[in-house]
């Protein structure tokens, strides 16, 4: 029997770790090194208590020479559970010892520039204390060699008990989850790109080199023969019943007969798609309305429910968006209040009340819905197929981001815009699709100008949970360009940033 599971179905981040390494040297003698070890263990315990990420920080023995450093980094590189390293210099740790290790580092890296004690003990401080607690200068020696080696890294400075420091640490861990997911991700494409569309194209070899994920193409006919036609009538009926339990019905613009036939067909598509994705180990996929060979409707509700369960999706063959949606869903694991594929659609240019309507013809994840979506069937004016079943809803209010990745031939660029999703006061009775209404930061005109200057796509991944800072950490881990459009965006400065980046990335390739 086919098993239906709701939520968290394919998130696989359990048992993952970031490794915590502490730099020191033999020079200080046993007593100081014992203290260093005690302190770093206490610090790791405190961090594990403070963070809310589904990842454990694993303490590793204090590093005192080049061989120990190289060994732990080699182990981290080959470990399946280690998704990144956090390094802290409790004392001075002469940085030539770190060269061999850092040169071979392949995992995300965080330089945690903190100090064990929060305050200077004014009355008791002496030279022993100075020797044991010299992060301020040990961290600088380490920073030099990291910069000299052009190490991809995040630096967080501040006391480890500070909530802002903890929050930055969590951002980085969530980005590392995304990085790790990208390196194990396989994206399936049913059919190719929508013909003539430019931005959804890109070099899949470059993507695999920069992001790690694989993209595999499949003929829709093979899916129909191998999966769709194998779905039993009873299985489809069982899923239809589940639809009817989970969603209120709005009968829409088709007859009862067409409605029933449509949701049965949709259920078969969903069951077959789940089996196809599970069999191939795919966590993200694309479809295109221009290649639906053997399908009587464009997959709507199937895609919406698969996204809800954690799958990434991109419409019209958009594999970059499919991968990004999946990666962002994993980054949001455990706290996600909504992450979906979305498309910029319509502007509302009413003076004083300017906003934008985001949507797609069907495939928007129900995780962003405000309340329970309704199940509806309506004709689709595109694709020349039968009326598809879809979930209709308005997106919930709240701060969010939209992000896309585009390719310029020589590099990928991520573009992020912070948004405020607002309440929908109008019904839009003739627009039976999922709808999100938002005001981009700093305002629609500036945001749209910046997005367009940067070459941002019409498709994006939208999330209420993943933040711009997390996406910046993620882009740094991948080593790709990122531009963020937020409260502070000023077009003149933004244009300069694009120009500087152009030079930087071109020179970097030389
Ligand atoms: Mn689209």
């Amino acid at each position: 029997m086919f098993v239906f599971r709701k939520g968290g179905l394919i998130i696989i981040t359990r048992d993952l770790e970031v490794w915590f390494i502490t730099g020191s040297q033999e020079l200080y003698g046993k007593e100081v090194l014992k203290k260093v070890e005690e302190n770093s263990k206490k610090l790791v315990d405190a961090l594990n208590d403070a963070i809310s990420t589904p990842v454990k920080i694993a303490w590793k023995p204090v590093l005192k020479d080049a061989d120990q450093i190289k060994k732990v980094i080699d182990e981290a590189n080959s470990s399946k559970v280690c998704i990144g390293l956090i390094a802290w210099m409790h004392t001075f740790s002469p940085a030539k010892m770190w060269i061999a290790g850092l040169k071979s580092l392949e995992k995300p890296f965080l330089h945690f520039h903190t100090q064990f004690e929060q305050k200077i003990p004014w009355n008791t401080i002496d030279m022993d204390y100075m020797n044991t607690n010299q992060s301020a200068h040990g961290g600088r020696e380490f920073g030099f060699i990291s910069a000299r080696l052009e190490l991809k890294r995040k630096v967080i400075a501040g006391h480890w008990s500070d909530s802002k420091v903890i929050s930055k640490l969590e951002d980085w861990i969530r980005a590392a989850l995304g990085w790790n997911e990208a390196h194990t991700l396989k994206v399936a494409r049913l059919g190719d790109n929508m013909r003539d569309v430019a931005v959804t194209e890109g070099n899949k070899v470059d993507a695999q080199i920069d992001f790690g994920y694989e993209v595999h193409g499949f003929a829709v006919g093979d899916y129909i023969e191998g999966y769709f036609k194998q779905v039993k009538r009873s299985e489809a009926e069982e899923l239809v019943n589940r639809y009817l339990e989970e969603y209120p019905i709005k009968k829409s613009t088709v007859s009862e007969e067409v409605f029933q036939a449509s949701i049965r067909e949709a259920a078969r598509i969903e069951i077959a798609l789940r089996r196809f994705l599970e069999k191939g180990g795919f966590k993200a996929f694309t479809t295109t309305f221009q290649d639906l060979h053997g399908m009587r409707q464009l997959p709507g509700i199937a895609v919406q429910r698969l996204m809800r369960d954690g799958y990434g999706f991109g419409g019209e063959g958009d594999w970059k968006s499919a991968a990004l949606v999946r990666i962002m869903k994993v980054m949001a694991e455990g706290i996600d209040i909504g992450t979906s594929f979305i498309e910029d659609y319509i502007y509302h240019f009413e003076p004083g009340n300017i906003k934008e309507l985001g949507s797609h013809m069907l495939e928007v994840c129900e995780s962003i819905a405000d309340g329970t979506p309704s199940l509806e069937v309506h004709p689709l004016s595109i694709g020349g197929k039968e009326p598809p079943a879809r979930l209709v809803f308005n997106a919930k209010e709240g701060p969010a981001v939209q992000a896309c990745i585009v390719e310029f031939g020589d590099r990928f660029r991520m573009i992020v815009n912070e948004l405020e999703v607002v309440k929908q006061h109008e019904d839009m009775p003739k627009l039976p699709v999922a709808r999100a209404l938002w005001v981009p930061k700093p305002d629609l005109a500036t945001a749209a100008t910046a997005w367009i200057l940067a070459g941002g796509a019409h498709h994006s991944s939208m999330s209420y949970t993943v933040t711009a800072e997390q996406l910046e950490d993620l882009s740094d881990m991948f080593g790709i360009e990122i531009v963020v459009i937020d409260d502070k965006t000023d077009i003149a400065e933004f244009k300069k940033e694009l120009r500087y980046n152009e030079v930087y990335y071109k020179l970097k390739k030389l």
Side-chain angles (χ1 to χ4, degrees):
M1 200 189 83
F2 193 77
V3 183
F4 303 101
R5 286 159 289 187
K6 184 169 180 175
L9 165 65
I10 50 152
I11 307 282
I12 42 136
T13 53
R14 270 153 290 279
D15 303 326
L16 295 180
E17 296 176 347
V18 292
W19 289 7
F20 191 96
I21 54 177
T22 309
S24 191
Q25 60 176 330
E26 293 286 4
L27 183 76
Y28 299 113
K30 275 206 177 95
E31 215 150 293
V32 169
L33 287 171
K34 204 169 144 244
K35 188 80 192 151
V36 168
E37 182 175 319
E38 275 172 32
N39 287 349
S40 89
K41 278 182 177 165
K42 275 188 211 157
L43 197 151
V44 168
D45 286 346
L47 293 179
N48 272 320
D49 286 344
I51 56 171
S52 65
T53 49
V55 174
K56 190 178 150 237
I57 301 175
W59 183 85
K60 297 286 158 186
V62 176
L63 301 170
K64 290 155 287 191
D65 63 39
D67 286 348
Q68 292 170 2
I69 292 166
K70 180 76 169 69
K71 185 163 171 279
V72 77
I73 290 178
D74 285 346
E75 284 167 8
N77 285 339
S78 59
S79 165
K80 288 238 186 293
V81 296
C82 174
I83 62 166
L85 287 132
I86 303 173
W88 174 43
M89 302 303 120
H90 188 305
T91 61
F92 198 71
S93 182
K96 284 185 190 171
M97 299 190 321
W98 287 84
I99 292 174
L102 293 180
K103 268 175 73 184
S104 58
L105 177 69
E106 290 165 7
K107 296 275 166 100
F109 195 74
L110 169 65
H111 179 183
F112 196 42
H113 187 57
T114 191
Q115 163 180 290
F116 190 72
E117 303 291 348
Q118 192 180 36
K119 294 173 185 161
I120 296 175
W122 304 108
N123 293 325
T124 55
I125 188 165
D126 57 11
M127 267 326 284
D128 285 347
Y129 185 93
M130 297 277 273
N131 268 336
T132 315
N133 300 281
Q134 45 183 308
S135 299
H137 100 244
R140 281 169 166 76
E141 167 75 353
F142 188 77
F144 165 73
I145 206 64
S146 307
R148 175 69 179 79
L149 292 170
E150 295 181 54
L151 192 68
K152 281 188 250 171
R153 72 209 202 273
K154 177 165 182 154
V155 179
I156 299 177
H159 195 256
W160 49 271
S161 63
D162 180 348
S163 62
K164 283 197 202 106
V165 168
I166 297 291
S167 159
K168 279 182 183 290
L169 178 65
E170 288 177 331
D171 285 341
W172 178 83
I173 292 174
R174 291 207 172 270
L177 275 173
W179 179 91
N180 183 63
E181 179 62 22
H183 281 80
T184 54
L185 179 60
K186 284 164 69 183
V187 183
R189 307 181 72 220
L190 287 166
D192 202 343
N193 276 48
M194 179 179 167
R195 289 183 275 281
D196 284 328
V197 175
V199 75
T200 51
E201 290 286 355
N203 188 321
K204 301 182 201 79
V205 176
D206 285 346
Q208 194 169 340
I209 293 168
D210 284 6
F211 304 117
Y213 62 73
E214 303 169 16
V215 184
H216 299 275
F218 293 89
V220 179
D222 289 339
Y223 154 79
I224 292 295
E225 292 301 322
Y227 294 88
F228 180 80
K229 287 190 177 168
Q230 310 307 319
V231 176
K232 295 192 190 93
R233 201 184 171 85
S234 59
E235 291 173 326
E237 274 163 16
E238 194 193 334
L239 184 54
V240 164
N241 288 336
R242 195 164 286 262
Y243 288 171
L244 301 178
E245 277 167 29
E246 282 189 37
Y247 312 108
I249 308 289
K250 249 175 104 181
K251 285 267 169 43
S252 355
T253 44
V254 295
S255 68
E256 180 63 24
E257 199 186 342
V258 171
F259 179 86
Q260 292 297 339
S262 178
I263 58 173
R264 259 200 317 274
E265 175 83 0
R268 285 183 78 185
I269 293 173
E270 178 179 335
I271 293 167
L273 267 176
R274 275 186 202 272
R275 287 193 177 139
F276 166 75
L277 295 169
E278 278 176 18
K279 176 99 185 292
F282 298 106
K283 303 285 168 51
F285 67 106
T286 69
T287 59
T288 170
F289 66 90
Q290 285 176 333
D291 187 354
L292 295 174
H293 178 84
M295 259 190 251
R296 281 161 51 195
Q297 61 177 264
L298 179 64
I301 185 172
V303 172
Q304 294 178 288
R305 287 166 54 87
L306 284 160
M307 262 195 278
R308 176 199 74 185
D309 291 343
Y311 286 93
F313 175 79
E316 294 96 52
D318 186 352
W319 49 273
K320 294 196 297 300
S321 291
L324 186 58
V325 169
R326 167 63 185 173
I327 290 165
M328 287 170 66
K329 279 180 177 286
V330 170
M331 288 168 71
E333 188 192 350
I335 54 167
D336 197 10
I337 49 172
T339 299
S340 177
F341 173 69
I342 197 85
E343 180 164 292
D344 294 79
Y345 251 102
I346 308 287
Y347 295 134
H348 184 67
F349 276 133
E350 180 189 351
N353 185 26
I354 292 177
K355 50 202 174 191
E356 176 176 351
L357 179 68
S359 188
H360 205 256
M361 53 194 175
L362 299 173
E363 313 94 330
V364 179
C365 179
E366 66 169 291
S367 67
I368 68 168
D370 185 10
T372 308
S374 59
L375 172 57
E376 304 186 25
V377 175
H378 304 273
L380 191 67
S381 54
I382 242 171
K385 292 281 175 175
E386 292 177 7
R390 81 287 300 269
L391 299 173
V392 178
F393 57 84
N394 292 335
K396 58 192 124 191
E397 290 171 79
V401 297
Q402 65 174 150
C404 73
I405 292 177
V406 294
E407 207 222 338
F408 290 148
D410 62 344
R411 71 184 187 283
F412 292 98
R413 170 185 284 163
M414 185 184 287
I415 300 137
V416 178
N417 194 179
E418 292 186 343
L419 317 167
E420 191 64 38
V421 185
V422 297
K423 193 159 179 65
Q424 297 181 31
H425 297 288
E426 312 293 338
D427 272 349
M428 294 182 266
K430 295 194 170 166
L431 188 69
V433 291
R435 304 157 300 213
L437 200 60
W438 64 66
V439 181
K441 288 184 181 174
D443 57 79
L444 191 143
T446 308
T449 303
W451 188 275
I452 283 167
L453 283 170
H458 53 280
H459 285 167
S460 56
S461 173
M462 170 194 180
S463 178
Y464 292 85
T465 312
V466 175
T467 64
E469 172 143 3
Q470 289 166 5
L471 291 168
E472 210 165 329
D473 288 351
L474 180 71
S475 298
D476 289 350
M477 287 170 189
F478 288 137
I480 65 160
E481 180 187 357
I482 179 169
V483 288
V484 176
I485 304 160
D486 60 15
D487 265 347
K488 299 183 285 294
T489 297
D490 166 88
I491 293 299
E493 289 303 314
F494 191 79
K495 281 164 77 176
K496 281 186 212 160
E497 183 182 352
L498 294 178
R499 284 192 204 112
Y500 300 153
N501 284 358
E502 193 73 19
V503 175
Y504 170 79
Y505 284 97
K506 289 237 163 20
L507 282 175
K508 216 171 145 222
K509 294 265 167 180
L510 292 176

